Amino acid sequence: MKKKIELLAPAGDLERAKVAIRYGADAVYLGGKRFSLRSRSSNFDLKDIREAVRFARQYHSAIHVTVNLIPHDEDLEGLREYLMDLQEAGVTAIIAASPTIITEARRWAPGLQVHLSTQMSSTNLECIRFYQQMGVSRVVLARECSLEQIRYLAQNSPLEIETFIHGGMCVNYSGRCTLSNAMTWRDANRGGCAQSCRWKYHLLEKDERISDADRPFSMSSKDLLAFRYIPEMIAANVASLKIEGRMKSAYYIATVVKTYRMLIDEVLQHPGPLSAQQIAYYEKEFAKAENRPTCTGFLDHIPDHRDHLYGVNGSGVTHDFLGLVLDYDEGAQQAVLQVRNHFRKGERLEVFGPTLVNQQFLADEIINEAGEQIEVCNKPMETVRIRIPFAVSAGDMIRRGQAR
Amino acid sequence: MEWITYYTGMQDLKDYKQHGITTILLAPESLASRVPQLNSWEEIETAVSLCRRLGLQAGIMLNRIYFDEDLEKLEEALDRIEALGINRIDYTDPAVYMRAKARGWQSLCFYNPDTLMCNTRDVQFYLDLGLGGVILSKEITLMEMQKIIASVHGKTELILFGHLVMAYSKRALLSAYQAEIQSDRDLSGKQDLVLIETTRQGRMPIVEDAAGTTIYTDYTLAAYAELKPLIASGAERFRLDNHFLKKEEFLDCLDGFHQVLAGQPAKKVMEERQARYPHLALSSGYMHQKTNLVKE
Ligand code: SF4
């Protein structure tokens, strides 16, 4: 059954695409080996894209492919064939910025929808009309839009509106930032961004240093966490809610996608603002994925000092991803588990999965491949059997039961 | 040949004209950004009439990214532009093109999206909309510029001089930082602030205004050596950014381009100015530097 609003998740490789789809994404966006930002970092070849489409179809989900680099002449060779290959593979949409890529797609691969990348910083109806004339069917809004502006655009736009709800944020207008080009020769618009905005800088007025020696200037944005505005976005007719993070782990994707899936389904059933209790619950769930500290971006105010990071930039995580369920024997109440992180016998663990919501158990029996009872799991990718007193399924994930 | 720079005050116009500038770009308050000076419409009106008397062309910068609530002001600006008889509008946001097109003014529009005009076909796409011109990205190399200029039908413009815009944000990054360190200095609008990355030496100008924050390169592009090859490829329009420069420095650097045209070796012109103005860190920018490295 077609969902009213699309939950759009990122994937850096086939494994993560499948995780996103199983955990409830209506569509997954991924990068091909060519013409995509983040090229060469776990990107998909055509065989993988075909497999992603095949898998997505089983779940009535869709695959979008980013073709979003700002090309130089040398980058354009083979574009037409590539777009035709994507169409033939059954991809639903490409996400693009260059007019050449957009018009070539419309001409040679008309079966592909074209979604305009956020790099084009679309913030008003007039520019949306301009891109409509170019053949675009959906616009990914600039992250600089407020909730009010998103609402206005979604209600009045002739094209579908997609908006970011979660993940890392460029501090500058996307597509217009060359900090990385200038400081590392790596072009952000061709997938090379070195995140120079997150570095530390002295600030001087003429020759006087006015920055704090212990707390230098930085432009590092906290990550976006917009879940509390989902009811308004659904009511406003936003077509797609986008999660950022093609470089993120399968565990992150599973946690975030699952949590939004639950939230969206709940709001679709019971429209209206979230209660304080719901906000507290979902906040806790999102915190189980590794994240920088979060903010609400531009949705309710222009980000200020509370929304930036001046000290440590690293990700925080409250619940480690400990293992992936490979199989479950109902008779023996034993799961076969691929270990991902260190845990001990006697710890309280939590299982979650596409159809399973946070069930906890005590790890009271762990058996290694040699059939020996063990006290500790400390070898990543080792396969163990663990007693779980309720049914779990292959693909479910196990994390620590309590925040660290 | 056209030589284009930004308005910096009535007192400078005559000197600009005498040193070969042909076009002055003016920037209306609340509609423009990333310029040395924002002006009221009254100032713009006076400046435009002086430009006319001096034989200078005048253009208007409408180069912000607009939200729907800004579009009314944009429409008013177009009315004023019509009343002033201006025949050049520089824009970034397609909203400007759409509103100008509704008046049949496509040919007045010059598209300058900073980083986006990097290949022949994208440039031709915009020129085919009937635009007056397209400003090429300054992040591409000399060879790439030459290829584009020689291949497209329509007017292109090149940025040959100045601190280059590196990034802009809608956020008030300086004010946010001041709040973070609990300083009550008001840094908004200041033109003499620089960032220095903590492991480097380069001084990158940073300016916060009502539109947000803009950061510029730690060097000043001075494409003396590239001028003649560009002209040989068909280039005719050159923009020289005077932001952050003293007038005398700018005029001297501007003279350098005319000296190159008059036959002086570009290398000598560059070296003389590098010696005179070491603080400007004159450089050829990306002219010979590809930025196609990616993360492995
Ligand atoms: S340096 Fe920062 S703001 Fe610029 S493109 Fe990279 S992540 Fe975005």
Side-chain angles (χ1 to χ4, degrees):
Chain A
M1 194 177 70
K2 174 96 177 72
K3 302 247 169 34
K4 268 195 175 152
I5 192 165
E6 177 184 270
L7 175 61
L8 178 58
D13 58 27
L14 197 51
E15 184 212 342
R16 284 174 273 176
K18 289 182 176 178
V19 166
I21 292 165
R22 273 204 224 100
Y23 278 77
D26 300 304
V28 168
Y29 66 99
L30 45 90
K33 292 262 181 225
R34 300 190 58 203
F35 305 110
S36 167
L37 301 190
R38 306 217 181 280
S39 287
R40 297 189 207 170
S41 318
S42 322
N43 271 346
F44 289 65
D45 59 22
L46 266 172
K47 193 167 131 273
D48 290 341
I49 292 174
R50 281 196 194 98
E51 170 58 14
V53 170
R54 189 200 60 77
F55 188 83
R57 280 184 178 155
Q58 288 175 19
Y59 289 79
H60 306 289
S61 185
I63 296 296
H64 303 177
V65 175
T66 56
V67 191
N68 57 348
L69 89 169
I70 306 294
H72 293 219
D73 279 317
E74 66 194 17
D75 300 318
L76 284 167
E77 210 185 299
L79 173 67
R80 184 178 303 174
E81 295 71 21
Y82 182 66
L83 293 167
M84 289 162 79
D85 284 344
L86 293 181
Q87 175 177 255
E88 184 268 326
V91 165
T92 299
I94 60 161
I95 304 166
S98 152
T100 300
I101 294 177
I102 294 169
T103 49
E104 284 283 287
R106 296 312 299 139
R107 180 154 181 217
W108 298 102
L112 293 173
Q113 291 175 28
V114 178
H115 298 174
L116 188 78
S117 166
T118 193
Q119 289 155 281
M120 300 311 282
S121 301
S122 301
T123 54
N124 63 68
L125 276 183
E126 287 289 9
C127 76
I128 290 173
R129 290 190 190 111
F130 175 77
Y131 294 118
Q132 182 186 25
Q133 291 172 7
M134 218 187 254
V136 163
S137 60
R138 179 189 289 183
V139 168
V140 187
L141 293 183
R143 287 180 176 91
E144 282 75 10
C145 290
S146 69
L147 181 64
E148 204 44 56
Q149 287 159 341
I150 293 170
R151 186 182 288 135
Y152 177 78
L153 290 169
Q155 287 173 348
N156 294 285
S157 165
L159 303 181
E160 288 185 350
I161 292 297
E162 178 174 310
T163 187
F164 279 94
I165 52 167
H166 197 95
M169 291 182 87
C170 273
V171 75
N172 297 310
Y173 278 104
S174 290
R176 314 298 164 104
C177 176
T178 61
L179 288 176
S180 174
N181 302 51
M183 296 168 82
T184 66
W185 306 132
R186 287 171 21 179
D187 185 349
N189 282 337
R190 289 195 285 174
C193 177
Q195 306 232 334
S196 310
C197 59
R198 300 192 190 274
W199 298 358
K200 306 274 177 271
Y201 299 84
H202 303 302
L203 174 63
L204 285 81
E205 184 167 5
K206 295 203 178 79
D207 284 322
E208 180 199 355
R209 190 154 101 187
I210 58 172
S211 49
D212 189 310
D214 299 326
R215 213 165 179 68
F217 178 83
S218 185
M219 298 171 261
S220 185
S221 175
K222 288 186 180 174
D223 283 3
L224 178 64
L225 177 63
F227 78 90
R228 64 188 67 213
Y229 295 113
I230 298 296
E232 284 91 335
M233 290 178 180
I234 291 175
N237 197 31
V238 169
S240 178
L241 303 172
K242 185 172 203 161
I243 299 166
E244 182 277 345
R246 280 198 280 144
M247 311 299 283
K248 297 287 193 182
S249 68
Y251 170 66
Y252 174 93
I253 302 285
T255 306
V256 173
V257 170
K258 167 86 182 171
T259 309
Y260 277 110
R261 181 75 277 149
M262 290 195 299
L263 171 59
I264 292 168
D265 290 348
E266 202 176 344
V267 175
L268 288 174
Q269 272 195 346
H270 307 288
L274 300 180
S275 66
Q277 204 184 359
Q278 284 172 306
I279 290 176
Y281 172 78
Y282 285 113
E283 208 151 54
K284 204 171 99 220
E285 288 304 306
F286 284 116
K288 292 177 180 175
E290 76 269 32
N291 250 329
R292 286 190 193 93
T294 57
C295 67
T296 52
F298 285 82
L299 291 174
D300 46 23
H301 63 280
I302 293 183
D304 57 28
H305 69 289
R306 293 162 300 177
D307 307 305
H308 292 108
L309 295 162
Y310 297 98
V312 181
N313 277 336
S315 302
V317 60
T318 57
H319 291 58
D320 286 329
F321 173 34
L322 303 181
L324 180 70
V325 175
L326 302 178
D327 201 1
Y328 184 71
D329 178 341
E330 281 212 59
Q333 293 203 315
Q334 260 185 357
V336 180
L337 191 71
Q338 187 181 66
V339 175
R340 295 296 178 94
N341 264 305
H342 174 282
F343 65 94
R344 294 186 155 277
K345 187 173 160 183
E347 280 195 62
R348 258 204 110 58
L349 307 183
E350 179 173 282
V351 198
F352 74 109
T355 55
L356 188 69
V357 182
N358 300 346
Q359 285 216 42
Q360 297 208 348
F361 68 98
L362 193 70
D364 55 3
E365 185 184 88
I366 312 172
I367 299 164
N368 69 10
E369 280 164 322
E372 302 155 347
Q373 295 261 359
I374 54 172
E375 294 293 311
V376 58
C377 286
N378 54 7
K379 295 185 194 129
M381 305 312 276
E382 179 187 25
T383 305
V384 298
R385 280 179 294 137
I386 184 165
R387 205 178 75 78
I388 301 182
F390 48 85
V392 297
S393 310
D396 289 354
M397 294 187 183
I398 295 188
R399 59 191 170 204
R400 237 175 275 286
Q402 276 157 358
R404 281 187 295 156
Chain B
M1 216 160 284
E2 275 184 52
W3 297 88
I4 301 138
T5 196
Y6 298 107
Y7 179 74
T8 49
M10 299 288 279
Q11 72 287 349
D12 297 337
L13 290 176
K14 204 166 153 207
D15 292 325
Y16 287 163
K17 170 73 184 172
Q18 278 173 356
H19 288 258
I21 290 292
T22 58
T23 304
I24 298 289
L25 299 174
L26 296 117
E29 278 161 356
S30 75
L31 289 163
S33 70
R34 313 187 290 288
V35 289
Q37 204 178 92
L38 294 168
N39 300 104
S40 67
W41 282 108
E42 290 65 39
E43 284 171 279
I44 289 173
E45 206 172 308
T46 319
V48 168
S49 49
L50 181 56
C51 283
R52 291 234 165 84
R53 286 206 296 281
L54 292 169
L56 287 163
Q57 297 283 327
I60 297 290
M61 300 289 292
L62 298 177
N63 67 335
R64 273 169 72 159
I65 291 171
Y66 302 108
F67 294 82
D68 285 278
E69 53 270 31
D70 301 319
L71 296 182
E72 205 180 302
K73 226 180 272 174
L74 177 63
E75 201 61 43
E76 284 167 22
L78 295 179
D79 289 342
R80 287 182 182 273
I81 286 168
E82 185 166 28
L84 286 169
I86 302 259
N87 53 11
R88 173 178 172 135
I89 299 166
D90 275 52
Y91 79 99
T92 298
D93 189 323
V96 177
Y97 165 79
M98 292 297 279
R99 290 294 171 102
K101 186 178 164 219
R103 296 171 183 240
W105 291 2
Q106 295 94 308
S107 62
L108 269 54
C109 294
F110 283 69
Y111 185 45
N112 182 11
D114 293 294
T115 51
L116 303 180
M117 290 295 95
C118 296
N119 71 73
T120 308
R121 293 173 65 188
D122 283 355
V123 173
Q124 190 64 59
F125 173 88
Y126 281 96
L127 289 171
D128 287 346
L129 298 175
L131 300 188
V134 167
I135 290 82
L136 300 193
S137 166
K138 60 229 180 282
E139 287 80 24
I140 61 177
T141 62
L142 170 66
M143 275 172 67
E144 289 174 316
M145 287 181 189
Q146 287 180 293
K147 180 170 178 232
I148 294 172
I149 297 161
S151 311
V152 297
H153 304 288
K155 291 182 191 170
T156 51
E157 189 172 303
L158 302 160
I159 299 170
L160 290 193
F161 183 85
H163 280 283
L164 305 178
V165 172
M166 234 185 345
Y168 47 100
S169 175
K170 195 186 172 190
R171 304 170 192 231
L173 295 172
L174 293 172
S175 298
Y177 178 65
Q178 292 305 98
E180 174 68 17
I181 61 170
Q182 294 173 357
S183 160
D184 50 16
R185 276 179 200 248
D186 181 8
L187 301 182
S188 178
K190 284 195 181 279
Q191 300 288 324
D192 52 6
L193 301 170
V194 294
L195 294 179
I196 300 178
E197 197 274 319
T198 51
T199 63
R200 301 171 187 226
Q201 268 99 47
R203 296 164 67 91
M204 299 177 284
I206 177 166
V207 179
E208 180 185 299
D209 62 17
T213 311
T214 307
I215 303 158
Y216 299 81
T217 51
D218 60 6
Y219 59 84
T220 308
L221 172 68
Y224 295 122
E226 292 74 23
L227 177 63
K228 280 191 163 174
L230 286 167
I231 290 173
S233 305
E236 291 179 341
R237 280 156 218 89
F238 306 109
R239 183 180 302 209
L240 311 182
D241 194 333
N242 45 8
H243 204 167
F244 308 111
L245 271 80
K246 294 193 189 95
K247 185 168 79 177
E248 293 66 35
E249 289 170 348
F250 176 67
L251 293 177
D252 187 28
C253 291
L254 168 59
D255 289 345
F257 287 97
H258 296 294
Q259 288 166 6
V260 171
L261 285 182
Q264 284 202 31
K267 191 164 176 280
K268 178 170 169 276
V269 169
M270 180 76 148
E271 284 171 358
E272 282 171 2
R273 280 154 186 83
Q274 281 172 328
R276 281 206 280 278
Y277 313 117
H279 59 282
L280 293 182
L282 296 177
S283 158
S284 59
Y286 296 101
M287 288 287 181
H288 308 281
Q289 177 65 54
K290 284 188 167 224
T291 59
N292 55 358
L293 300 180
V294 294
K295 272 188 278 191
E296 292 299 329

